Each structure stands twice: as structure tokens, then as C-alpha cells.
Amino acid sequence: MILYPNAKINIGLRILSKREDGFHEIETLFYPVEPADILEIVESDKLVFNEYGIRIPGKPEENICIKAYNLIRDDFGIPPVEISLFKKIPAGAGLGGGSSDGAHTILLLDKLFNLNLTHRQKMQYASRLGSDCPFFIENRPMIGSGRGDILEPFPLDLSHYTVKVVTPQCFVSTAEAYRAVVPRDKREGSDSRPLSQLLRYPVEQWKNFIVNDFEENVFKKFPLLAEYKEELYKEGALYASMSGSGSSLFGIFSK
């Protein structure tokens, strides 16, 4: 059984404050895009993980797909499986590739073993894997708040535009990006209007007030990323931004 875990972009990413638990309160719009990985799961006599395509950092036994399998196995006693993952979404790119793989593993195991998980159960398992994972259970435009795990549908349709994603060859540490950013509650003059309000303006106006708060510090460390963003605008993008904590950037163009 095969699924195609897709990527996401962040349209606007506001770091509002640091929480007592060490995480940050954020506000962002998650939007599903290509590229997509290829995920296949079949029953097996032992647990096997095969990886292909772009190299996946870390030990195979620690891959998020294995973690998702273990969560389901512990609760439902499902048999061993062979998981084959062909990676097309680069790691450390702000595209949510790992989170998507984990969420789609939950969806695939549910189908493969006829578990009949409720939507709420799928979301709960996904949230245990990581903050971005619940979005890929929904997989439609959603405003993310809290740690990004509080999701609310948002009526954004970019089907009349072309979304171009570029991923320069550099790895941006999400942990380092968070350590370097100054939350908005510590800065004067930050736009306090909710992102949901700003997104209702025409796409052509977004570049004036929808920002990714990580860009300032990430661009200082990786000037090449700023050059890629500028190049997207030179190519005619109506709006361009870094996705997540980078390193991918995207441009939204008229078709």
C-alpha cells in the first residue's frame, strides 16, 4: 500500500512569545505543496525500514516512520511491517518532509490494518510525533497557533497561481533559528493584527506585511538565502518568503 507524503510551506511565520515549557507560541499558515515523498508499507515477518533517494539524517531505527509504527503497534498489537521510503523532500528545508512522512505512516497503517481510527485519534497520534505532524493529517490550508499544533481551517486557494519552491544546498538548524529569534512580545512596533486578517489582502500586497520572523537572523548567517529570495522577485513573484526556519524559499507567481 502506497501514499505520497507531500511538503508544506509557511505563509507568514510569527514568533509571538516563549512559553514556560521552552517552546514558542507561533502563528503561521500551513499550505500543502509538492514535492512529495513515496511511502510504501507492507506486512512482514520482521520490522524493516528501507530508505531511498535523498539521504535521511539519523539512524534508520530512529526514523519518524518507525516511531509512528511503534505508537500504533503499542496500542493495537499490529504485526511487523516493511516500510520503504523514497525521499524527495530534503531535510532541514522548512518543508515538513519528516513530519509528513510520520503523519502519512499513521494514515497508511490505519488503512492497511483496517483500524478505523477516528480523525481525533489520528490527530492525537500525530501530535505525539511532532508539532507539525497534525497538519499533514488535515493536509489543507490551516492557520497554526500554539506550537503550530492548534489548527484552524483557512479558506486560501492558490490554485490560480503557480507556487515555485527552491531549496539551496545548506542546512538550517530549527533549534538554532529559534534560539536566535527575538519574540514579538519583546519587540516594539510589531504588527499586532492577526495573520488571518492579513492573509485576506490580495496576494500582490502580502510582501508589504506578511513576514517570516526567522528570515532576519537566518539570512545573516546564510546570505545566499536572501539572494534566492531576491531572485524570485526578479523572476516576477508576487510574494516570496522562506518556509519555516529554512532553507527552502518559495515564490507565488501569476499563472
Side-chain angles (χ1 to χ4, degrees), residues 116-134:
N116 296 315
L117 297 177
T118 65
H119 182 72
R120 181 178 181 181
Q121 285 176 304
K122 295 172 188 175
M123 294 290 282
Q124 288 173 337
Y125 282 122
S127 67
R128 291 167 64 184
L129 290 175
S131 299
D132 285 355
C133 293

Side-chain angles (χ1 to χ4, degrees), residues 15-255:
I15 314 300
L16 304 180
S17 62
K18 189 168 184 178
R19 298 155 44 125
E20 292 184 359
D21 61 7
F23 291 96
H24 288 76
E25 289 285 331
I26 72 166
E27 187 180 34
T28 189
L29 186 284
F30 295 111
Y31 196 90
V33 296
E34 297 295 326
D37 295 335
I38 305 171
L39 176 67
E40 180 181 36
I41 302 180
V42 297
E43 287 192 54
S44 178
D45 57 355
K46 63 179 180 178
L47 180 59
V48 178
F49 179 74
N50 305 309
E51 57 179 270
Y52 308 95
I54 297 174
R55 183 183 175 278
I56 304 171
K59 301 176 181 178
E61 61 269 21
E62 297 174 353
N63 186 272
I64 195 169
C65 297
I66 297 294
K67 293 178 180 178
Y69 166 80
N70 288 336
L71 289 177
I72 302 296
R73 179 205 58 197
D74 290 348
D75 286 349
F76 291 90
I78 59 176
V81 297
E82 181 174 354
I83 301 173
S84 298
L85 178 63
F86 189 98
K87 285 295 295 179
K88 298 169 71 176
I89 305 171
L95 297 176
S99 298
S100 186
D101 295 334
H104 281 81
T105 298
I106 293 170
L107 298 176
L108 204 44
L109 291 171
D110 179 46
K111 291 182 178 181
L112 182 62
F113 293 109
N114 297 311
L115 302 178
N116 296 315
L117 297 177
T118 65
H119 182 72
R120 181 178 181 181
Q121 285 176 304
K122 295 172 188 175
M123 294 290 282
Q124 288 173 337
Y125 282 122
S127 67
R128 291 167 64 184
L129 290 175
S131 299
D132 285 355
C133 293
F135 164 72
F136 290 101
I137 300 294
E138 296 281 0
N139 224 1
R140 54 184 171 141
M142 306 285 284
I143 294 284
S145 58
R147 294 186 303 161
D149 56 343
I150 301 172
L151 300 170
E152 182 178 350
F154 187 79
L156 178 64
D157 180 7
L158 296 179
S159 61
H160 299 297
Y161 299 88
T162 297
V163 179
K164 178 180 178 179
V165 178
V166 294
T167 305
Q169 294 299 310
C170 61
F171 180 88
V172 179
S173 165
T174 298
E176 289 183 11
Y178 269 108
R179 282 195 293 268
V181 75
V182 177
R184 286 177 174 245
D185 66 342
K186 303 296 184 183
R187 290 188 276 138
E188 295 183 2
S190 296
D191 192 334
S192 61
R193 290 175 294 175
L195 182 60
S196 58
Q197 177 182 339
L198 302 179
L199 287 165
R200 296 184 186 278
Y201 285 93
V203 174
E204 294 82 353
Q205 297 182 25
W206 285 0
K207 64 181 178 181
N208 299 320
F209 38 70
I210 295 181
V211 301
N212 181 329
D213 287 345
F214 284 125
E215 284 190 0
E216 181 178 0
N217 287 308
V218 171
F219 283 0
K220 287 179 182 177
K221 187 172 182 179
F222 301 99
L224 177 65
L225 300 185
E227 294 176 15
Y228 268 84
K229 180 178 177 179
E230 183 61 30
E231 186 61 32
L232 287 167
Y233 276 122
K234 288 180 180 178
E235 292 175 10
L238 303 174
Y239 176 75
S241 175
M242 188 171 72
S243 183
S245 57
S247 61
S248 287
L249 298 105
F250 66 91
I252 301 176
F253 296 79
S254 296
K255 279 190 175 180

